[in-house]
Amino acid sequence: MSSVAEEAAGATAYSAAAAKKTQSKPLNSPAEVIAASLVGTTVEFYDFYVYATAAVLVFPKLFFPSGNPVASQLASFGVFGAAMIARPVGAIFYGHMGDKRGRKATLVACLMTMGIATFLVGLLPTFDQIGLWAALLLLILRLTQGFALGGEWSGAALVATENAPEDKRALYGTFPQLGAPIGFIIANGLFLIINFSLPHPDSPTMQSEAFLSWGWRIPFLFSSVMVIIGLYVRSKLAESETFKQAEAKGTIVKVPLFDTLRHHMKAVVLGTFAMLATYVLFYLMTTFSLSYGTHPADQSPAGLGITYTDFVLMQIIGVVFFGLFTILSGPLADSVGRRKLLLWITGIIIVFALMFPIFLDSKANTSFNGALVEAFLIIGFTLMGFTFGPMGALLPEMFPTNVRYTGSAIAYNVSSIIGAALAPIIATALWSAAGGSTWMVGVYLAIASVLTLISLILTKETKDIDFNGDLGAKKTK
């Protein structure tokens, strides 16, 4: 009995001291929070996009040669999508670590795992050198990437939101989200620089033999430099005060996964489908659109026939809008609420999806059609910023502190299976089935958005919840 009383007294004293300390000076300054949440996700998303770009440009030729370009592309997208299947496994593993041992150590482990896997992809022999073993090794490393990313996002989102002022939680939640556009720009910008540095004898916009032989490996190897920077930044981060309070008050559970599934399954399901439209939209705007945009217009199924370098430059312009509106979505979500903003944006995404043929289906090579394609990318990435930005606050807010890492990670990453993993494959199949038209791809995005709309309708507004006070139920002895 005395031990229980002593524990209660200790927890009360800790809480009072922690509250006083928090009022005087936060453990992590805003600059440290921004750096730790942004740098890590930038590295992780960079690694992911390097693979996504290579999945279109390099891997179909070097790892999945079949004589049929569409079949090779689908095989490459299949391995790309396999990482999404590994992400929920990583979410469970790293979520357990994050909810049991803390956010900081877990984030460091995620970053190292992703960095090592990406670096090793840059060293892989190709199909011509070792046959099917090349594809198998690529699959293993791709699964490792997905496993690492399964824990990265949620940890970064928690670092941002658990260190945020109550009225700026959505704004702080956009910091890890910015890793997506920044990582995209760095990854694709590096591919462009390498491609131009190793020009094809017929045109600098085409891929040279040197690029296909060894140039494509440079972005994967360069990942090690970015990982070192990310590890340095995260090593300076202090553990979340909210997590420390959960430890002191005895709310940390033995198996966070069991507690999440037993008491928070509704939140997991709603969070999963709340992310669905975001995932489908993003992978249509990046991976699928790169494949469609660079596919020859005179080859079935007809693409746009835009050169790789031109299309990636067009994408990068669109991604600038992605980053800008990700940041702008934070203050807006803090003002009107996450749910209200996302309901409006999801409705607009449905309208945009049904307009795909207007932007994309003309194969005429004119400046007007080029402007339509650029408008398509800018609008799509703008909507992506508005829908992706608030997720950094919304998903963590759906769970108490003691299962927040696990719950938000599972929702975010299970959605990656039904959204991101399948999006490029389904879109490519629909595009091919429609004879080169994109109307069925647009309908696919619209259906995913309707499911997200239903989820948001069933989700309560989280803007004003007691985020740092809800530590979870105290464990029983």
Side-chain angles (χ1 to χ4, degrees):
M1 188 74 176
S2 60
S3 62
V4 175
E6 288 172 1
E7 180 183 336
T12 303
Y14 176 86
S15 300
K20 184 177 180 181
K21 187 175 182 180
T22 302
Q23 289 173 2
S24 60
K25 183 181 179 181
L27 291 177
N28 298 299
S29 69
E32 290 172 329
V33 172
I34 294 172
S37 59
L38 175 58
V39 171
T41 52
T42 297
V43 174
E44 299 270 5
F45 280 110
Y46 165 85
D47 289 352
F48 227 59
Y49 298 150
V50 162
Y51 186 99
T53 301
V56 174
L57 298 179
V58 178
F59 294 157
K61 301 172 184 176
L62 299 185
F63 289 86
F64 308 101
S66 67
N68 183 326
V70 174
S72 295
Q73 187 66 77
L74 284 173
S76 182
F77 280 160
V79 174
F80 173 80
M84 311 303 176
I85 298 173
R87 283 172 62 168
V89 181
I92 293 170
F93 177 80
Y94 288 115
H96 181 90
M97 285 181 61
D99 283 328
K100 287 279 289 183
R101 307 299 179 193
R103 314 331 191 186
K104 177 181 174 178
T106 305
L107 282 171
V108 169
C110 292
L111 191 58
M112 289 188 66
T113 304
M114 174 67 93
I116 292 171
T118 304
F119 183 82
L120 290 177
V121 170
L123 300 177
L124 280 181
T126 63
F127 182 88
D128 287 343
Q129 295 170 311
I130 61 171
L132 291 174
W133 283 103
L136 179 61
L137 291 173
L138 182 64
L139 174 61
I140 292 171
L141 292 177
R142 181 60 179 161
L143 290 171
T144 305
Q145 280 189 320
F147 182 79
L149 192 58
E152 164 61 31
W153 178 86
S154 295
L158 265 57
V159 165
T161 53
E162 289 184 346
N163 287 281
E166 288 294 321
D167 60 344
K168 294 182 179 179
R169 208 160 48 237
L171 172 61
Y172 274 58
T174 62
F175 299 151
Q177 309 301 74
L178 274 177
I182 294 174
F184 180 94
I185 291 172
I186 296 174
N188 285 280
L190 186 54
F191 263 114
L192 283 178
I193 292 171
I194 295 168
N195 196 55
F196 273 117
S197 301
L198 303 171
H200 192 280
D202 297 327
S203 169
T205 62
M206 299 175 67
Q207 298 161 41
S208 67
E209 288 300 318
F211 178 85
L212 290 174
S213 176
W214 57 267
W216 67 271
R217 300 178 184 274
I218 296 174
F220 290 93
L221 301 177
F222 178 72
S223 171
S224 60
V225 176
M226 299 184 66
V227 168
I228 291 171
I229 296 172
L231 290 174
Y232 173 76
V233 170
R234 284 188 170 170
S235 67
K236 293 182 171 297
L237 191 70
E239 185 56 79
S240 156
E241 185 66 32
T242 304
F243 177 79
K244 287 184 176 181
Q245 288 190 43
E247 278 188 314
K249 292 193 174 182
T251 64
I252 302 300
V253 293
K254 186 175 182 179
V255 184
L257 175 63
F258 292 166
D259 198 78
T260 300
L261 298 180
R262 182 183 303 167
H263 302 295
H264 307 283
M265 193 62 193
K266 180 180 178 181
V268 169
V269 173
L270 292 177
T272 297
F273 283 96
M275 275 294 304
L276 182 61
T278 305
Y279 266 126
V280 174
L281 174 63
F282 182 68
Y283 283 92
L284 292 185
M285 299 306 301
T286 54
T287 307
F288 169 74
S289 72
L290 179 61
S291 176
Y292 172 77
T294 57
H295 194 78
D298 58 356
Q299 191 177 105
S300 182
L304 296 176
I306 301 173
T307 65
Y308 159 69
T309 51
D310 287 345
F311 196 83
V312 170
L313 286 172
M314 294 170 72
Q315 280 188 316
I316 288 175
I317 292 172
V319 171
V320 171
F321 286 82
F322 176 17
L324 175 63
F325 285 95
T326 295
I327 280 291
L328 291 177
S329 71
L332 192 55
D334 278 325
S335 175
V336 305
R338 296 75 160 116
R339 180 175 176 272
K340 185 175 182 180
L341 175 60
L342 289 169
L343 282 170
W344 275 102
I345 296 303
T346 306
I348 297 172
I349 291 173
I350 294 172
V351 175
F352 171 67
L354 299 178
M355 295 175 67
F356 270 28
I358 297 174
F359 291 104
L360 299 177
D361 278 6
S362 175
K363 304 302 187 293
N365 188 14
T366 66
S367 59
F368 176 73
N369 288 312
L372 279 178
V373 175
E374 187 61 68
F376 167 81
L377 293 171
I378 289 174
I379 294 171
F381 279 118
T382 295
L383 292 172
M384 184 62 206
F386 270 125
T387 187
F388 190 54
M391 292 297 173
L394 175 67
L395 293 186
E397 288 170 345
M398 296 176 75
F399 302 92
T401 300
N402 64 343
V403 295
R404 186 170 290 149
Y405 205 129
T406 300
S408 59
I410 290 175
Y412 183 83
N413 290 291
V414 169
S415 188
S416 76
I417 295 180
I418 57 178
L422 299 177
I425 299 171
I426 292 175
T428 300
L430 292 175
W431 161 46
S432 181
S437 174
T438 59
W439 74 269
M440 291 177 69
V441 179
V443 170
Y444 165 52
L445 173 59
I447 291 172
S449 301
V450 168
L451 293 174
T452 290
L453 205 61
I454 294 171
S455 173
L456 291 170
I457 290 171
L458 297 175
T459 301
K460 295 179 180 179
E461 177 56 60
T462 59
K463 173 176 174 287
D464 298 316
I465 65 165
D466 185 11
F467 187 70
N468 290 322
D470 185 6
L471 303 178
K474 190 169 183 177
K475 64 186 178 182
T476 56
K477 294 199 180 282

